[in-house]
Amino acid sequence: EAARAGEAGKGFAVVASEVKALAAQTARATEEVTSQIGAMRGSTTQAVAAVGQMSAAIDRIAEVATAIAAAVEQQGAATRDIAGNVQTVASLNAAASEAMQDVCEASRETAKAGHEVVHASNDLQDKVANLRQEIDGFLGSLAEEQAERRRYQRLPANGRKALLRQAGQPDCDISLLDVSRVGAACACPRRLQVGSPLELLVAGLAPMQATVARSDDGAAALLFDDNSAARATAEALIQMVSGPEARAA
């Protein structure tokens, strides 16, 4: 058409060539756009797949978070149980401590009572030993007195008045019941300590040194000292209670 137009169609030919070139460029651009659209479709498909994977991962994370929350709740419950058990143990420990203090106090009281029992036992043993000594002395004196009764005749004294004198004690008035060369029996209102020394004072005679051999129920037995002075005075006492004046009385 440009050739038929002649000189006037040259410009048209140039425009047509340019249009053809633009059409070719448009076709190439369209192909590129189509290719890019295909690539975008592929990327979109991959993005959709990735989003699906992300959604699945999020669901899995949600499940894990739920499990973690449940585990945390269980842990909290276990922690509360442990705290309650700790409080219970603390209460039991306090009760045990109090009971231990009571036991310690009871142990101290028991130890104190044990010491008191030991002390009382020692005192009792001492008293028993003293009592045994006194009994042995009394039995020995009684045996000696009985032996003396067999060896020496006792003469009735008919209640002759006499006086007992002991150091640190007031004088005691007595009545002689009988006498021998080694001793005398008397009625004594005061209980005398067995084995204690004293003086027997009879009017008209020298003081006689003697020892208490027995003392009970208002009566006492005296054992004269074994020396020449005591023997002489005892002999004089026997003569006094057995002489004519005594028989007349």
Side-chain angles (χ1 to χ4, degrees):
E1 288 297 327
R4 281 195 301 271
E7 189 66 27
K10 292 181 180 180
F12 182 74
V14 173
V15 171
S17 178
E18 292 294 333
V19 169
K20 185 178 180 179
L22 289 173
Q25 291 178 0
T26 302
R28 289 195 298 273
T30 301
E31 291 177 358
E32 291 178 357
V33 169
T34 301
S35 177
Q36 290 179 0
I37 289 173
M40 290 179 65
R41 284 180 178 177
S43 299
T44 301
T45 302
Q46 294 177 356
V48 170
V51 169
Q53 293 178 356
M54 291 176 63
S55 177
I58 290 171
D59 292 338
R60 180 59 180 167
I61 290 172
E63 292 177 359
V64 172
T66 302
I68 291 173
V72 169
E73 181 63 25
Q74 293 178 356
Q75 185 67 30
T79 302
R80 289 190 293 272
D81 291 339
I82 291 172
N85 292 332
V86 168
Q87 291 179 352
T88 302
V89 170
S91 300
L92 294 176
N93 189 23
S97 298
E98 184 177 356
M100 185 60 68
Q101 291 178 356
D102 293 339
V103 169
C104 292
E105 184 65 24
S107 178
R108 286 192 291 269
E109 292 295 333
T110 301
K112 182 178 178 181
H115 291 311
E116 292 177 353
V117 169
V118 171
H119 183 68
S121 177
N122 292 333
D123 291 342
L124 181 60
Q125 289 179 356
D126 294 339
K127 292 180 179 178
V128 168
N130 293 334
L131 180 60
R132 182 179 292 111
Q133 184 177 2
E134 291 181 4
I135 292 174
D136 291 341
F138 172 75
L139 293 177
S141 299
L142 185 61
E144 292 177 359
E145 181 184 355
Q146 291 175 350
E148 290 166 3
R149 281 181 180 273
R150 290 192 296 270
R151 293 201 312 267
Y152 300 101
Q153 180 183 4
R154 287 187 174 273
L155 301 175
N158 300 319
R160 180 173 291 274
K161 301 299 181 181
L163 189 69
L164 293 181
R165 178 170 295 169
Q166 285 182 295
Q169 298 290 337
D171 293 345
C172 180
D173 292 325
I174 64 170
S175 298
L176 293 175
L177 302 178
D178 57 50
V179 296
S180 71
R181 291 179 174 81
V182 294
C186 63
C188 180
R190 188 172 67 197
R191 190 176 183 87
L192 304 175
Q193 180 67 35
V194 175
S196 61
L198 50 77
E199 283 185 341
L200 175 63
L201 304 177
V202 180
L205 299 178
M208 299 179 64
Q209 304 296 323
T211 303
V212 179
R214 177 172 53 84
S215 178
D216 56 359
D217 297 332
L222 306 178
L223 183 63
F224 300 148
D225 287 357
D226 188 13
N227 54 54
S228 58
R231 286 193 294 269
T233 306
E235 190 68 31
L237 179 59
I238 290 174
Q239 295 298 325
M240 182 181 292
V241 299
S242 62
E245 296 180 358
R247 287 194 294 271

